[in-house]
Amino acid sequence: MGFSKLDKDPNEGLRLELHGLVDAYCDHHQNEPEGEDQERLALLELEDRFNEALLNTVALNYQNDSQDSSPLLPEVRQELRSRLRRSPVISLEDRDLEGRDPRESFFDRVLRGFQRLLGCLLRKWRALLAWLRRAVAAGMRAVCRAAEAVWSVFQDFCSFTAQALGFALQA
């Protein structure tokens, strides 16, 4: 990642890293690449780098917010990563090849691809956040049910103990 774990605000580090990734992408495209395949590969690489930067920042924010400063579990990171599999940017581009204006400049094509990539990333991260909210809500319901079961047993124990003490004192 492009910033240290010691930074106070991982989100600011993310902002800088994302800007750096976009700068590198634009620098790479200052000279037109050999063809559309290189454009697509560059977009796929950019998508992977965006996702890794975002996941790393999620992990840093989690660690900073976690009371015991424990890192994000590897299996949780892997689940998040699997839910962010590559978007179908290539297939989206292929559908537009027929309707593409031959007068469209290389830079317009690159910009359109980049905008599509950002749209795909936004949809994927929105879906990931919705999934996390559902998972956390389900997990919290399970924790509440477990706590309620323990509370019920404890209440019964207290009631039984109070009755037993009451009988013992009466005797």
Side-chain angles (χ1 to χ4, degrees), residues 4 121 169:
S4 88
L121 286 169
L169 292 175

Side-chain angles (χ1 to χ4, degrees), residues 19-38:
H19 281 283
L21 290 171
V22 171
D23 288 345
Y25 176 79
C26 291
D27 289 346
H28 175 77
H29 283 88
Q30 277 185 336
N31 300 321
E32 291 186 26
E34 294 79 42
E36 291 178 23
D37 289 339
Q38 285 74 18

Side-chain angles (χ1 to χ4, degrees), residues 94-107:
D94 289 341
R95 278 189 240 146
D96 274 358
L97 286 177
E98 301 161 359
R100 186 177 350 181
D101 184 356
R103 297 170 295 179
E104 180 182 41
S105 76
F106 168 76
F107 293 105

